[in-house]
């Protein structure tokens, strides 16, 4: 990796205090740094949006398709921006990310645009040819009626379906689909919803019906009239909705129009009205809130023999409010059925046992003053109840038992409780008008988890929840990566820091607890993906919890208790009532292309490559990692041949020159002193450098001095090492400071902003004046101190690379102060480190004098 010092040797720095870099050089630095800033901003946007999407998938929130579409658009745009900025920063080095992006984006678009398949069928299909397997052809309601008629063999009115394929042809004929756009509908905006609904329905009502479809409807009705002529009743029909998702898992109860007692010449008009009801405000709201997409909104229609009902009603094959009650509930009203379901009158209620005798357990017969009847010509109207029937039951006992028998037959056939509409004609013949799944309420809801439990020892009561839930198990402390290899099943993972590498044991962990971490970080996303209860930023877990100690983690109230609290674990198991909705399934599907993280080990170059990015999380992880490395190359192109750097006047034994990328130095500065520095990380480092008393030449023995002399003779240009300048590239939040201290080069790079996901410090050290063994001892000394302040350090001989990430700004500043003091403390110390015991002594000496333990870790 090329150092900033190598790069800045090309720069002509000026010692006059009024000098400024030439515009071309400042422009290059500024543009590259702007790319870096924008990349970090886009990365944060992705992580925050991912966290929000995963929170929604937890089941505690209701969302609609508009949310899914808008958040996917945000993620797609942000990830694309990340790739753009990274390639600008690296001169197109990572163009392979575009290929990965296109594939992932295509998969997401496919999930969002998944359309219901509409088979090519005749425009009209008689009930005799229909079964429940034809939902996509005739809609849910028609499919169930055909099933009841042809396979269950219960009485169903005659009728035919106007198919889903007919709907498609109708919508295509006047290009209605091109004019109907619901993707931007805000279902919370009632006024806007009404406006869009009216516009769409007006378009449909004015649209032309294709001539061949109109002929097909007319011919089908002629066949229907022949079938029902022998009944001697009315020859009109009811025109009923049968959307493809209606009366299936989702009832769409009351969402769409039914036209009663329709004369033949008005069939096509009523067909338009039923199709238009697909876009009423309440129907749009229902579809959007349940997650149905625009392409799912397909309306088949049923044209059904009109039953001039003496009585009508609804029955449930099981009590929907009490799953344990083994009874059938029958509601009945005089006249047509809409009054039974619309609440216009109080219906008769009969409760029937499922025993072999179909014992009638209860009867409730309120007075019914009015009823709905077929009008003489067309339609239906309200009339007074027939004299003498006001307070009498609609059904005789044998009729009640017949309906109860029908209910049991239908429940047995479908294998689940049924919600059934029925009608009784003037000749006392029953007809089944509808059968659909009945949603049963849970027997009881889970008790809310108290915010605290008495009688149990509370160990920790703070932190931030990354994944809700409750888990219990024995504490397993993670202090280094190797500890994950022996992670036991069901243990609680406890660590000081979070790491994406924890994913390897998330299928075993009952909970995760960390002293520091971010709910929007990589590991938090993984915890939510694996649904592992997780509390971060507890600050004290590593000190308060002991290995092997059994605990219960309440990641709902941020409490950790001693021992296993079984009732809390049970209470924490939550059902997701939203999980079976299409919108939930769509979000869950697209998240598979967004959230999973496969690129975990950046140090493994074979497995950490653009070509292996399978999700957007992989891309952001890869880009964020390599962007940090690319920043070390800032200004390192062939254009950097001349320019300017301003000398910093400061009482330190360093020759420091500053290049401001923007916001790092006061604009009105005519000379540079520490008071003019606005850069947060640079100020923190300077403060530490000025607080410590810099050591003089270290006491060395002859061997130490001779090793320096000998080493100098084999290092090219080493005679210049003692007086070469140090360079700092800075902005408001950023610093890359290449420090020349005698014979060794040290680089401290840091970012300290308001978003802790961006914040980091990187410490690089190479070289020295002494022999290789003494230089290696110095890197060991520095490694031990850095690890004390939470750095992850890689060390090979006299080369050291340390990094700490994702702490809040104040903590980053504090750590930079410690790094600065360590810089001064170890200046030319390699010449004194003639054995390991001396290294140990210096480590303790530094800790005693310059290290204050951080009691409150600054991650969130």
């Amino acid at each position: 990796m090329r150092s900033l010092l190598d790069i800045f040797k090309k720069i002509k720095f000026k010692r006059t205090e009024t000098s400024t870099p030439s515009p071309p050089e400042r422009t290059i630095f500024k543009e590259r740094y702007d790319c870096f800033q924008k990349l970090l901003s886009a990365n944060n946007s992705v992580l925050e949006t991912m966290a929000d999407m995963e929170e929604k998938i937890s089941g505690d929130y209701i969302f609609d398709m508009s949310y899914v579409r808008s958040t996917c658009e945000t993620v797609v745009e942000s990830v694309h921006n990340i790739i753009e900025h990274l390639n600008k920063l690296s001169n197109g080095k990572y163009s392979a990310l575009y290929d990965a992006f296109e594939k992932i984006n295509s998969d997401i678009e496919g999930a969002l645009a998944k359309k219901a398949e509409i088979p090519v069928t005749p425009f009209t299909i008689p009930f005799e040819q229909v079964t429940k397997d034809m939902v996509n052809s005739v809609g849910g309601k028609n499919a169930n009626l055909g099933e009841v008629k042809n396979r269950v063999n219960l009485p169903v009115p005659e009728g035919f379906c106007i198919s889903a394929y007919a709907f498609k042809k109708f919508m295509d004929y006047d290009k209605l689909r091109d004019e109907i756009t619901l993707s931007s509908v805000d279902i919370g905006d009632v006024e806007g919803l009404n406006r869009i609904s009216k516009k769409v329905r007006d378009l449909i009502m004015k649209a032309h019906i294709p001539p061949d479809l109109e002929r097909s409807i007319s011919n089908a009705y002629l066949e229907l009239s022949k079938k029902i002529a022998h009944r001697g009743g009315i020859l009109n029909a009811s025109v009923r909705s049968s959307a493809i998702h209606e009366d299936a898992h989702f009832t769409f109860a009351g969402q769409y129009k039914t036209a009663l007692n329709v004369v033949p010449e008005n069939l096509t008009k009523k067909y338009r009205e039923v199709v238009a009801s697909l876009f009423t405000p309440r129907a749009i709201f229902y579809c959007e809130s349940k997650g149905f997409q625009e392409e799912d909104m397909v309306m088949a229609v049923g044209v059904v023999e009109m039953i001039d009902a003496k009585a009508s009603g609804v029955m449930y094959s099981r009590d929907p409010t009490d799953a344990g009650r083994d009874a059938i509930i029958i509601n009945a009203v005089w006249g047509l059925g809409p009054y039974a379901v619309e609440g216009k009158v109080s219906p008769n209620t009969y409760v029937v046992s499922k025993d072999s005798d179909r014992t009638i357990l209860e009867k409730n017969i309120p007075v019914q003053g009015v009823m709905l009847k077929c009008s003489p010509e067309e339609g239906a109207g309200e009339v007074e109840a027939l004299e003498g029937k006001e307070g009498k039951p609609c059904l005789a006992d044998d009729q009640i038992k017949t309906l109860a028998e029908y209910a049991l037959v239908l429940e047995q056939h479908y294998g689940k409780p049924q919600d059934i509409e029925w009608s009784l004609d003037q000749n006392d013949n029953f007809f089944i008008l509808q059968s659909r799944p009945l949603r049963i309420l849970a027997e009881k809801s889970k008790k809310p988890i108290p915010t605290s439990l008495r009688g149990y020892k509370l160990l920790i009561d703070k932190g931030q929840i990354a994944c809700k839930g409750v888990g219990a198990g024995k504490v397993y402390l993670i202090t280094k990566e190797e500890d994950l290899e022996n992670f036991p099943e069901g243990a609680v993972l406890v660590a000081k820091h979070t790491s994406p590498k924890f994913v390897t044991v998330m299928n075993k962990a009952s909970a995760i607890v960390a002293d520091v971490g971010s709910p929007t970080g990589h590991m938090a996303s993984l915890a939510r993906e694996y649904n592992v209860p997780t509390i971060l930023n507890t600050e004290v877990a590593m000190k308060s919890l002991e290995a092997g100690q059994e605990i219960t983690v309440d990641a709902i109230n941020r409490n950790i208790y001693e021992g296993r609290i079984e009732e809390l674990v049970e209470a924490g198991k939550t059902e997701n009532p939203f999980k079976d909705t299409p919108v939930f399934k769509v979000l869950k599907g697209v998240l598979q292309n967004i959230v999973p993280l496969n690129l975990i080990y950046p140090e493994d170059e074979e497995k950490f490559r653009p070509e292996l990015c399978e999700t957007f999380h992989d891309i952001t992880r890869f880009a964020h990692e390599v962007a940090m490395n690319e920043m070390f190359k800032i200004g390192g192109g062939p254009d950097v041949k001349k320019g300017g750097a301003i000398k910093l006047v400061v009482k330190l034994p360093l020759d420091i020159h500053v290049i401001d990328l923007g916001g790092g130095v006061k604009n009105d500065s005519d000379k540079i002193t520490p008071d003019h520095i606005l850069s947060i990380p640079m100020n923190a480092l300077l403060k530490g450098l000025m607080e410590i008393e810099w050591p003089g030449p270290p006491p060395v023995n002859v061997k130490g001095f001779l090793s320096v002399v000998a080493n100098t003779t084999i290092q090219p240009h080493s005679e210049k090492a003692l007086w070469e300048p140090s360079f700092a590239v800075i902005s408001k939040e950023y610093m890359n400071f290449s420090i020349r201290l005698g014979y060794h080069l040290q680089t401290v790079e840091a970012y300290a902003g308001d978003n802790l996901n961006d914040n980091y410090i990187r410490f690089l050290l190479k070289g020295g004046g002494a022999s290789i063994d003494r230089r290696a001892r110095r890197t060991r000394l520095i490694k031990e101190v850095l690890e004390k302040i939470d750095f992850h350090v890689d060390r090979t001989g006299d080369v050291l690379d340390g990094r700490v990430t994702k702490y809040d700004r104040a903590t980053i500043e504090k750590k930079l102060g410690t790094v600065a003091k360590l810089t001064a403390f170890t200046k030319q110390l390699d010449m004194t480190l003639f054995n390991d015991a001396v290294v140990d002594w210096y480590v303790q000496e530094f800790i005693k004098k310059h290290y204050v333990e951080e009691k409150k870790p600054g991650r969130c």
Side-chain angles (χ1 to χ4, degrees):
M1 182 176 294
R2 194 177 185 188
S3 74
L4 277 180
L5 186 65
D6 293 332
I7 294 165
F8 294 144
K9 284 179 180 178
K10 297 181 179 181
I11 301 175
K12 180 183 177 183
F13 61 92
K14 300 182 181 180
R15 299 181 183 274
T16 56
E17 296 173 347
T18 58
S19 300
T20 58
S22 64
E25 292 299 331
R26 286 186 77 93
T27 300
I28 292 171
F29 290 134
K30 184 81 166 60
E31 286 178 354
R32 290 172 61 81
Y33 182 67
D34 283 347
C35 282
F36 181 62
Q37 287 275 57
K38 289 174 181 176
L39 185 150
L40 293 181
S41 177
N43 182 73
N44 292 331
S45 174
V46 172
L47 292 178
E48 289 167 6
T49 305
M50 280 170 48
D52 187 72
M53 295 171 86
E54 290 175 286
E55 191 173 36
K56 295 295 187 295
I57 213 75
S58 70
D60 293 337
Y61 302 89
I62 301 298
F63 54 91
D64 59 16
M65 277 306 301
S66 178
Y67 168 83
V68 177
R69 284 188 288 264
S70 63
T71 50
C72 283
E73 287 171 6
T74 297
V75 170
V76 168
E77 182 179 3
S78 296
V79 172
H80 190 268
N81 288 340
I82 288 171
I83 298 171
E84 288 276 292
H85 297 315
L86 179 61
N87 277 287
K88 286 181 181 177
L89 194 63
S90 64
N91 295 320
K93 184 177 176 181
Y94 303 103
S95 58
L97 285 174
Y98 287 109
D99 295 332
F101 171 86
E102 290 299 334
K103 182 182 182 306
I104 298 165
N105 188 41
S106 177
D107 291 342
I108 292 174
E109 287 178 349
L112 290 176
K114 190 174 290 184
K115 298 180 180 180
E117 294 294 330
I118 301 176
V120 177
T121 66
F123 291 150
T124 56
I125 304 172
F127 280 176
E128 289 86 351
Q129 298 176 17
V130 174
T131 65
K132 69 177 181 180
D133 306 313
M134 299 172 63
V135 170
N136 280 11
S137 297
V138 299
K141 189 179 294 181
N142 285 337
N144 283 330
L145 275 179
E147 182 77 8
V148 174
K149 179 181 180 66
N150 300 313
R151 290 181 175 171
V152 187
N153 298 314
L154 292 180
V156 169
E158 298 291 345
F160 65 89
C161 313
I162 304 176
S163 67
Y165 184 67
F167 168 83
K168 181 179 184 300
K169 285 296 182 182
F170 170 60
M171 298 295 284
D172 290 345
Y173 191 67
D174 280 353
K175 296 182 173 56
L176 293 176
R177 279 294 187 193
D178 295 342
E179 300 186 56
I180 298 173
T181 303
L182 302 179
S183 59
S184 60
V185 169
D186 179 4
I187 60 176
D189 178 7
V190 177
E191 184 179 343
L193 191 60
N194 288 335
R195 184 171 58 254
I196 292 173
S197 169
K198 184 178 186 306
K199 177 184 176 182
V200 173
R201 286 181 288 124
D202 286 347
L203 285 170
I204 291 171
M205 292 307 298
K206 294 174 183 176
H208 299 91
I209 293 181
D212 49 352
L213 172 56
E214 194 163 6
R215 284 194 300 271
S216 182
I217 293 172
S218 179
N219 292 337
Y221 181 77
L222 287 175
E223 291 299 317
L224 173 62
S225 63
K226 293 175 185 178
K227 294 175 185 176
I228 63 178
H230 70 279
R231 298 195 199 279
I234 60 176
L235 295 180
N236 292 348
S238 64
V239 182
R240 309 181 68 189
S241 66
S242 184
I244 61 171
H245 293 289
E246 190 175 0
D247 288 355
H249 186 76
F250 299 92
T251 66
F252 288 81
Q255 302 305 310
Y256 304 132
K257 181 179 177 63
T258 292
L260 299 176
N261 197 24
V262 178
V263 296
E265 54 267 30
N266 284 338
L267 280 178
T268 53
K269 176 186 176 184
K270 296 302 179 183
Y271 172 72
R272 285 191 192 90
E273 289 180 4
V274 173
V275 170
S277 73
L278 192 63
F279 301 98
T280 62
R282 68 176 183 271
I284 295 173
F285 182 94
Y286 187 91
C287 284
E288 283 287 315
S289 63
K290 293 294 184 182
F292 293 104
Q293 303 191 56
E294 206 168 309
E295 294 78 7
D296 293 320
M297 299 176 74
V298 177
M299 179 66 78
V301 172
V303 179
V304 186
E305 169 191 3
M306 185 68 215
I307 303 298
D308 186 18
K310 178 193 295 186
S312 305
V314 176
M315 61 179 170
Y316 301 144
S317 66
R318 193 172 299 176
D319 188 340
T321 62
D322 186 354
R325 190 182 189 192
D326 199 22
I328 299 162
I329 311 296
I330 301 173
N331 288 343
V333 297
W334 293 109
L336 298 173
Y339 276 20
V341 294
E342 293 174 0
K344 293 283 187 179
V345 298
S346 296
N348 291 197
T349 301
Y350 312 100
V351 180
V352 184
S353 171
K354 289 186 176 180
D355 61 17
S356 57
D357 294 331
R358 308 295 180 251
T359 304
I360 300 173
L361 303 175
E362 297 177 24
K363 288 184 181 181
N364 181 27
I365 315 297
V367 175
Q368 181 179 337
V370 295
M371 62 182 183
L372 190 67
K373 290 287 291 180
C374 288
S375 299
E377 297 298 328
E378 185 179 39
E382 184 179 292
V383 298
E384 292 184 4
L386 297 177
E387 187 176 349
K389 294 185 181 292
E390 297 94 334
K392 291 187 176 180
C394 302
L395 300 174
D397 285 1
D398 62 330
Q399 292 173 322
I400 294 170
K401 292 184 179 183
T402 297
L403 283 176
E405 192 67 36
Y406 286 178
L408 287 177
V409 169
L410 288 167
E411 181 178 89
Q412 183 177 10
H413 178 77
Y414 283 102
K416 61 185 67 175
Q418 293 292 295
D419 172 356
I420 305 152
E421 289 185 19
W422 58 269
S423 185
L424 181 69
D425 72 5
Q426 299 296 330
N427 298 318
D428 289 334
N429 296 309
F430 281 115
F431 294 91
I432 301 298
L433 304 180
Q434 179 173 303
S435 186
R436 62 191 180 197
L438 175 66
R439 190 175 293 274
I440 304 293
L441 295 177
E443 292 186 28
K444 60 181 181 179
S445 58
K446 292 189 179 294
K447 296 180 180 179
I449 296 176
T451 54
S452 62
L453 289 176
R454 294 183 179 180
Y456 296 96
K457 185 177 180 181
L458 184 61
L459 301 174
I460 298 174
D461 62 351
K462 59 183 177 179
Q464 287 183 297
I465 296 169
C467 181
K468 287 186 175 181
V470 177
K474 293 182 178 181
V475 171
Y476 189 84
L477 301 177
I478 300 292
T479 58
K480 55 185 182 298
E481 184 181 336
E482 290 75 16
D483 294 337
L484 294 170
E485 296 173 3
N486 300 312
F487 190 89
E489 186 79 30
V492 176
L493 190 158
V494 179
K496 184 165 188 178
H497 308 107
T498 60
S499 169
K501 297 174 183 178
F502 293 172
V503 69
T504 58
V505 298
M506 284 183 182
N507 59 331
K508 299 179 182 179
S510 63
I512 296 173
V513 180
D515 282 350
V516 291
S518 168
T520 61
H522 292 299
M523 196 226 69
S525 291
L526 292 168
R528 288 188 290 269
E529 181 187 346
Y530 283 80
N531 199 27
V532 182
T534 301
I535 302 178
L536 306 179
N537 204 32
T538 64
E539 301 179 353
V540 295
M542 289 293 284
K543 294 180 181 178
S544 304
L545 305 177
E546 298 177 2
Q549 179 184 16
E550 192 156 38
I551 61 172
T552 297
V553 178
D554 174 5
I556 295 173
N557 296 302
R558 292 186 293 272
N559 291 331
I560 300 176
Y561 297 94
E562 187 176 58
R564 184 180 182 88
I565 307 175
E566 202 61 50
E567 64 263 34
L568 198 58
V569 174
E570 285 300 314
K573 294 178 180 177
T574 57
E575 289 294 326
N576 187 346
F578 203 45
K579 66 183 180 181
D580 291 328
T581 62
V583 67
F584 187 93
K585 292 177 180 177
V586 170
L587 180 58
K588 189 174 182 180
V590 298
L591 283 181
Q592 293 305 306
N593 298 292
I594 295 174
V595 170
L597 184 61
N598 306 294
L599 270 63
I600 299 174
Y601 301 100
E603 62 273 18
D604 188 342
E605 294 183 1
E606 285 300 310
K607 296 181 179 179
F608 202 80
R609 295 185 289 121
E611 296 82 1
L612 299 181
C613 291
E614 298 178 9
T615 66
F616 280 160
H617 200 169
D618 286 339
I619 292 178
T620 61
R621 165 76 165 156
F622 178 86
H624 190 271
E625 188 72 25
V626 299
M628 301 298 179
N629 295 333
E630 290 298 330
M631 276 308 297
F632 281 97
K633 301 177 182 180
I634 190 164
D639 294 333
V640 183
K641 296 178 180 177
K642 59 182 180 178
I646 305 173
K647 182 176 174 60
L648 177 67
V649 180
V650 60
K651 293 182 179 179
L652 290 172
L654 295 171
D655 184 14
I656 302 174
H657 299 263
V658 174
I659 294 176
D660 181 20
L661 299 179
V665 178
K666 289 181 181 179
N667 291 334
D668 59 352
S669 304
D670 56 0
K671 65 178 181 177
I672 302 298
T673 68
D675 291 338
H676 295 91
I677 299 294
L678 300 178
S679 173
I680 295 166
M682 186 67 179
N683 267 327
L685 195 74
L686 285 173
K687 182 180 177 183
L689 290 173
M690 291 187 291
E691 281 181 352
I692 188 171
E693 182 179 350
W694 282 65
V700 297
N701 59 18
V702 175
K703 288 184 179 179
F705 178 75
L706 290 177
S707 73
V708 173
V709 174
N711 193 59
T712 300
T713 62
I714 61 174
Q715 293 191 28
H717 312 296
S718 59
E719 70 278 2
K720 299 180 181 179
L722 292 175
W723 53 80
E724 288 196 357
S726 299
F727 286 92
V729 177
I730 63 173
S731 73
K732 178 69 174 178
E733 295 92 3
Y734 176 75
M735 172 194 71
N736 192 310
F737 192 7
S738 291
I739 309 170
R740 172 64 76 178
L741 292 167
Y743 291 95
H744 75 268
L745 173 67
Q746 174 181 307
T747 299
V748 181
E749 185 184 47
Y751 193 96
D754 293 331
N755 191 314
L756 61 82
N757 281 323
D758 297 340
N759 294 344
Y760 70 95
I761 306 171
R762 190 169 184 184
F763 182 101
L764 293 166
L765 179 73
K766 174 72 173 75
S771 59
I772 184 63
D773 58 329
R774 295 176 186 241
R775 300 202 306 270
R777 291 190 188 107
R778 180 173 57 188
T779 55
R780 180 171 80 82
L781 186 161
I782 294 172
K783 178 177 187 292
E784 291 189 19
V785 174
L786 289 178
E787 287 178 341
K788 190 72 176 176
I789 56 173
D790 306 320
F791 274 69
H792 173 78
V793 182
D794 292 321
R795 169 179 167 264
T796 305
D798 68 338
V799 178
L800 183 143
D801 185 352
R803 180 179 296 193
V804 67
T805 63
K806 297 183 180 180
Y807 280 86
D808 64 32
R809 193 177 83 178
T811 307
I812 289 289
E813 290 178 86
K814 187 172 183 179
K815 291 182 185 298
L816 280 169
T818 304
V819 167
K821 293 173 183 176
L822 182 61
T823 298
F825 184 82
T826 58
K827 173 178 175 286
Q828 297 180 357
L829 199 60
D830 49 343
M831 290 185 285
T832 71
L833 303 177
F834 51 87
N835 63 36
D836 289 338
V838 175
V839 174
D840 295 337
W841 183 87
Y842 273 113
V843 169
Q844 294 305 316
E845 187 72 5
F846 180 85
I847 291 172
K848 182 172 64 176
K849 290 183 177 181
H850 305 295
Y851 171 69
V852 178
E853 187 172 5
E854 297 171 11
K855 297 182 179 179
K856 293 185 177 182
R859 282 186 178 180
C860 297

